[in-house]
Every structure is written in structure tokens, then in C-alpha cells.
Amino acid sequence: MHLTHLLARWQPLWRPLPFQHPVLPWEADYPELGAMLRSLTDEDCARLEDDPFTDSPLARWLPVEALAELVTLPALSARNATKLPEAWCQHVGGRKWQQIEAFAERLAFIPGQKLVEWCAGKGHLSRTLARLLESEVSALEWQQALCDQGQALAERQGVALRMCRQDVLAPEVADALKPDSHLMALHACGDLHVRLLELAAERGSAVTLAPCCYQRTTAEHYRPLSREGRRLCERFGLSLSREDLALAVQETVTAPRNVRLNRQKASAWRLGFDELQRELRGLDAYLPVPSLAYGALPSSFEGFCHWAADRKAITLPDGIDWARHEQAGWRRHGEVARLELVRHLFRRPLEVWLARDRARMLEEAGLAVELGTFCKRSLTPRNLMLRARAPA
Ligand SMILES: C[S@@+](CC[C@H](N)C(=O)[O-])C[C@H]1O[C@@H](n2cnc3c(N)ncnc32)[C@H](O)[C@@H]1O
């Protein structure tokens, strides 16, 4: 309840995107907060991006301590952490393998249950669990190529895995589930994991889920899944758009240095172009420019502006002072990073709120539910796990 209240109370501060507003709407009410953020050093800004809750100067204005407390979740208990055999991680990326190990250790399997993986990709998690638990696992995935590759890998290793080409949103999925099904998913997005939860709630199936990408949903506005979530949102006036949901998963693992530098340049150039287009159009309003695939960024700021202007049918006159506009873009980039710290503070609380709504929905369906973390944040920031089973 307190979390809903805080998210609702501070909506006017965490919702506006600094990228779109040279001066944020809330700065009129909190001029000192804006000034303090703009004056932060690069080091302090990076420190707070990494850990928004420790030793934060934002605490003078915002409920940092209360939020920190509300997002503290237990690390879910694991089975005897026997290291899985080295050979099992063949064909799986290092980081993904560590996530699979952590997930597998925490899956509360009851012999006789039929494990079904949702959105399984090549079925790496299912293959590992089929070996570990010596039980057949069904892995649902809609891409035929991934199913074929996953099946071939399992057969080569003599593992009892059944890769099933299946759209998990199709109605027939429900027919394939039995009361003793145990549904699991590692990083299934938005509507896909919501469907898993709905079916589990209907059937009372056990669930082990690490949710991901809440914003991948067809609904433009979030309708809480639990009755309690709906009641609290109404009571406190919390309303979440699809764009708001994206905030919950904005934090990514630190990318390699060259990727980071490239992202920073792309952001500074976009902001430089934004200043330029405001001047040229005589209109002080943000103009969205389509995103560019990684590696497709033109080689100069001028080249980027020509590309962006073409997309938006803007004619660039001769004599533009490119250096001045590029510099303005870099200045705005630094400012945006600092002002984003307000949103960073509410990112994990929003993610925890969404996970709690999922947990509550299963509780309301009569399941016993645990919500906690399954691995360190450094392994994946999407480290929340929901475990549910029929009550003993
Ligand atoms: C983010 S990946 C996760 C894969 C795997 N669980 C992992 O952690 O590596 C999502 C997977 O879901 C699959 N997918 C997307 N929509 C689906 C649908 N409607 N039905 C079944 N699979 C789907 C994609 O093809 C992709 O393999």
C-alpha cells in the first residue's frame, strides 16, 4: 500500500522524460532539486546511477529511505547448491548459463510435476532441468528454427526434452496444461508471462517465473492483474501507461566501453539535433526521431542531422554552425543524465510494484506465493523471481 502511495504521490516527478524537456515541468516547484542535480559531478552522477539508494543527495526532497526499504526483497532459498557439471553449459552464453544455474537451484520441483517452459528459445533452461531432475520437460517456443536447434542439442546430449512449436498466446495452450503442470519462464516478456500467470491462476498450477519487459503489452494503459492492485491504483490515483512500464526495465547491465561510448554519442547527437530542429521550426517542442540500429550511426554529427532531418521532412539551410549545435547536444546529454536520477530512484520500486501485483494475483487465486531475487543484480537486473504452488 505504501509503495502504491509513493509511486502515485511522486508521479509528476518520475514521469516526465528529461530527454524531451530542456526544463522539466516539476522544476518550477522544486527549483533547488533541479539546481542540485545539474551541479553534480560526473562521478556522483555515475555513482547514483549505479546505486540510487545509498548516500543520496536527493533524500532532501524525495523519500529515498522509504523506497529503499520497500524494494528490499529476500534472496529466495536455493536447493543444495551443487555445481552443475561444466559440460552442461556447452552452447550457452556465460551470463545466461549463470542465470540458468541460479534459476534451476531455486525451482521448487515436486516429483511427478510436468515442467513446461514458456518462450523457451533453444530450451537451454529446460534441457538443464531435464538433466538435473531426470524428468521430461516440455519447452514451448514459437520459432521453428529455435525448436529444431533446441531438439537437436537435446538429442545429441541424450536429454528428455520436448521442444514444441507453440504460440503461447494461442487458445489451445490451455488444453495442454494439466493440474500437475509446473509452468516456468526465464525472462518471458509482458503479455507472454501474463498469459502464463492467468493460466496458472485458473488451474492452480505451480509457477517459477522471472518476469521481464512489462511494457511489451498490447494494452496502452496497464490494468493491474490483482484485485488489490486495481483497488490501490484507484484509491491513490496511480495510472500507468505502456511508456511508464518501460521505466521499470530501463536499467541494463553495464555494456562494454565501446558500446557505452557509442550510445553516449548517439544520445548527444540526438539532443543536438533536437536543439537545432527547435530553432529551425521556431517551435520549442520535442520531435521524436526514429531509432537507429547499433552500428548504423552516421560518422559525423552533420551526417546524423541530415539523416534525421530527412526522416522528419525538415530542410536544413546552408551555414549551420555544426560545432555549436554538437556542443549543445553534449551539454544537454550531461544534464539529461543528471535529471534522469529522479526517475532512476523510482525504477526498481515500479518493477517491484509490478511483480507484487503478479504475486498478489496468484495469491488471490489461492496459491502460496514467494517473491524475491534469484541472482545478483550484476548478473541480470531482471533478477526477481515469483514462486507459487498450491498450499500444503
Ligand atoms: C527473451 S527470449 C527468452 C528466451 C529464453 N527463455 C531465455 O531466457 O534465453 C523470448 C523468447 O520468446 C519467444 N516468443 C515470443 N513470442 C512468443 C509466443 N507468442 N509464443 C511462444 N514463444 C514466443 C521468442 O521467439 C524468444 O525465443
Side-chain angles (χ1 to χ4, degrees):
M1 184 167 106
H2 195 32
L3 188 51
T4 318
H5 169 63
L6 289 180
L7 286 171
R9 157 79 180 82
W10 296 100
Q11 290 175 89
L13 274 83
W14 63 254
R15 182 160 291 124
L17 298 162
F19 204 85
Q20 297 182 0
H21 304 271
V23 177
L24 284 154
W26 55 257
E27 289 192 71
D29 294 325
Y30 298 90
E32 290 176 3
L33 172 58
M36 182 281 290
L37 289 168
R38 285 169 209 275
S39 72
L40 287 175
T41 62
D42 285 348
E43 291 69 36
D44 275 339
C45 180
R47 177 181 68 77
L48 291 164
E49 273 174 357
D50 188 49
D51 181 2
F53 299 112
T54 305
D55 202 9
S56 171
L58 283 74
R60 235 183 89 197
W61 298 271
L62 300 169
V64 177
E65 207 177 308
L67 289 170
E69 222 168 90
L70 288 162
V71 298
T72 306
L73 293 175
L76 291 181
S77 58
R79 252 194 315 272
N80 295 343
T82 40
K83 199 95 187 91
L84 298 180
E86 197 67 23
W88 290 13
C89 70
Q90 252 186 357
H91 310 289
V92 189
R95 206 180 267 282
K96 180 55 80 180
W97 176 246
Q98 285 172 273
Q99 291 169 24
I100 287 175
E101 275 189 311
F103 190 104
E105 277 168 10
R106 284 163 185 81
L107 184 115
F109 179 73
I110 299 173
Q113 281 181 338
K114 307 274 180 301
L115 281 176
V116 180
E117 187 187 358
W118 226 239
C119 303
K122 291 183 195 167
H124 296 315
L125 173 67
S126 291
R127 202 168 63 251
T128 307
L129 283 163
R131 280 178 146 180
L132 181 69
L133 305 169
E134 296 174 354
S135 171
E136 187 181 296
V137 181
S138 303
L140 312 185
E141 164 59 52
W142 72 351
Q143 290 191 52
Q144 184 68 56
L146 295 181
C147 290
D148 293 345
Q149 290 170 50
Q151 198 63 58
L153 277 174
E155 277 162 24
R156 221 178 302 153
Q157 298 171 349
V159 178
L161 169 65
R162 221 159 50 87
M163 292 289 314
C164 312
R165 184 183 182 194
Q166 177 66 56
D167 175 358
V168 297
L169 298 177
E172 70 270 11
V173 176
D175 307 332
L177 301 179
K178 308 274 178 304
D180 57 359
S181 299
H182 183 146
L183 310 184
M184 57 172 186
L186 172 58
H187 297 162
C189 300
D191 285 346
L192 303 173
H193 74 243
V194 169
R195 170 91 167 131
L196 179 156
L197 294 169
E198 283 167 354
L199 289 171
E202 265 171 34
R203 268 138 227 269
S205 310
V207 171
T208 308
L209 167 70
C212 188
C213 298
Y214 303 89
Q215 78 283 12
R216 300 241 170 116
T217 163
T218 53
E220 231 164 273
H221 287 278
Y222 184 69
R223 181 169 192 270
L225 304 178
S226 65
R227 287 191 295 278
E228 184 179 73
R230 291 195 285 278
R231 186 176 57 73
L232 289 171
C233 280
E234 210 162 290
R235 174 166 165 205
F236 292 108
L238 178 65
S239 146
L240 300 169
S241 67
R242 196 190 288 135
E243 209 173 67
D244 295 333
L245 301 186
L247 172 64
V249 295
Q250 213 180 48
E251 183 189 14
T252 51
V253 242
T254 312
R257 194 179 132 77
N258 58 335
V259 177
R260 260 187 355 248
L261 293 178
N262 199 280
R263 272 191 206 148
Q264 286 169 4
K265 186 158 72 180
S267 154
W269 285 4
R270 278 172 180 279
L271 288 160
F273 175 75
D274 191 54
E275 296 231 336
L276 175 63
Q277 67 80 16
R278 284 176 199 245
E279 241 178 71
L280 293 177
R281 295 196 306 144
L283 190 65
D284 194 13
Y286 176 73
L287 188 67
V289 171
S291 49
L292 268 168
Y294 180 74
L297 191 68
S299 59
S300 68
F301 175 63
E302 182 178 344
F304 173 77
C305 288
H306 279 288
W307 172 84
D310 273 357
R311 301 282 125 359
K312 302 314 272 185
I314 293 173
T315 310
L316 297 177
D318 291 336
I320 290 176
D321 184 346
W322 296 110
R324 174 170 74 81
H325 286 288
E326 184 174 2
Q327 227 171 36
W330 280 103
R331 198 186 53 245
R332 280 275 295 133
H333 171 73
E335 207 171 58
V336 165
R338 286 159 176 76
L339 293 164
E340 272 285 343
L341 291 173
V342 171
R343 286 165 53 75
H344 284 332
L345 193 60
F346 290 90
R347 199 172 50 193
R348 184 69 162 180
L350 185 57
E351 183 178 13
V352 168
W353 189 90
L354 291 166
R356 282 199 190 288
D357 183 38
R358 281 148 179 74
R360 193 71 196 124
M361 170 207 191
L362 295 180
E363 278 168 0
E364 287 171 358
L367 294 169
V369 185
E370 291 170 281
L371 173 64
T373 58
F374 74 100
C375 67
K376 292 223 170 69
R377 217 188 93 202
S378 52
L379 188 55
T380 166
R382 301 289 75 71
N383 66 347
L384 299 182
M385 179 183 264
L386 257 172
R387 278 199 304 214
R389 55 176 173 75

